[in-house]
Amino acid sequence: MSKASHAELPKSVDPYRLAEQNSTLEGEIPLSALARFREAVLGIEEGAACSVKLSFYMDAERRRIVSGELEAPVNLECQRCLGSMQTALVSRFTLGLVTSDEQAQQLPKDLEPFLTNDFSADLWLMVEDELLLVLPPFPLHDRDECPAGEDLEAYEPNGSPAQPDEPRKENPFSVLADLKKTKH
Ligand SMILES: [Zn+2]
């Protein structure tokens, strides 16, 4: 992706007006501003941003829709070697704007609800939710990039992941931190 800096995606918008105007919004959200997301990943590069493109429109049933795509660079913890692994989260989604649970239940199955109030929606919260949804539950380096690649036989060939209750899942960074603490 190009390194050119883009405008920030507006945080608060009137999504209904945007849908009636067939508007498209494009911009970035600094990942450092998304606290829940930051806590859910191993790390984010300084200045990293989520690129977002959102199209607001009305469908044939006059439902207000926002469809979007996003991409965000992130560091995850490889669950094989417990090392850092750089990847990009990508998501496409189509949401139906609703202002109540009743409306949400009336949406067709292929539309996820985006609950907002009548005149404003927090796009950053919505994007953060979408990012959390596409976080891989079990991130793994590519086979030839993983420092623990030689242990591969323990985890494959049937592709079944390590058992979650395996005792070896100690975070190397917390061990390091303990070492530093006891040094003095
Ligand atoms: Zn790995």
Side-chain angles (χ1 to χ4, degrees):
M1 214 183 330
S2 91
K3 214 57 179 139
S5 71
H6 295 283
E8 227 170 54
L9 187 79
K11 191 169 162 61
S12 181
V13 299
D14 178 345
Y16 291 89
R17 198 165 58 95
L18 291 174
E20 278 145 32
Q21 295 170 344
N22 255 321
S23 302
T24 298
L25 293 181
E26 212 165 342
E28 294 191 336
I29 301 175
L31 289 176
S32 58
L34 305 179
R36 285 177 301 147
F37 179 70
R38 229 175 43 218
E39 279 172 27
V41 300
L42 186 62
I44 49 178
E45 302 291 325
E46 202 181 325
C50 180
S51 317
V52 188
K53 183 176 178 185
L54 300 173
S55 303
F56 297 81
Y57 59 93
M58 288 194 284
D59 70 6
E61 317 282 331
R62 296 187 67 75
R63 281 183 291 255
R64 274 63 170 175
I65 307 290
V66 52
S67 78
E69 49 188 78
L70 57 81
E71 182 173 344
V74 67
N75 292 326
L76 301 176
E77 184 184 64
C78 170
Q79 296 302 294
R80 188 188 292 125
C81 68
L82 302 183
S84 170
M85 126 187 201
Q86 262 195 335
T87 185
L89 297 177
V90 178
S91 177
R92 284 169 193 275
F93 48 89
T94 303
L95 310 173
L97 296 172
V98 295
T99 53
S100 68
D101 287 339
E102 291 78 49
Q103 282 184 14
Q105 278 156 22
Q106 286 161 15
L107 286 177
K109 287 263 181 288
D110 57 335
L111 281 179
E112 291 293 323
F114 177 20
L115 190 63
T116 74
N117 69 31
D118 283 327
F119 301 108
S120 79
D122 188 328
L123 295 182
W124 288 23
L125 270 183
M126 182 268 277
V127 166
E128 185 170 31
D129 284 341
E130 294 299 326
L131 278 173
L132 290 168
L133 275 176
V134 291
L135 266 185
F138 205 82
L140 290 174
H141 280 122
D142 280 344
R143 172 185 293 259
D144 48 357
E145 282 169 15
C146 188
E150 64 268 26
D151 297 337
L152 221 55
E153 291 72 21
Y155 302 93
E156 295 183 13
N158 58 11
S160 66
Q163 296 306 305
D165 56 354
E166 259 196 343
R168 69 182 289 276
K169 196 187 155 13
E170 174 122 36
N171 186 329
F173 297 105
S174 63
V175 173
L176 259 180
D178 288 341
L179 284 176
K180 277 181 193 153
K181 255 184 256 159
T182 54
K183 214 166 182 180
H184 296 285

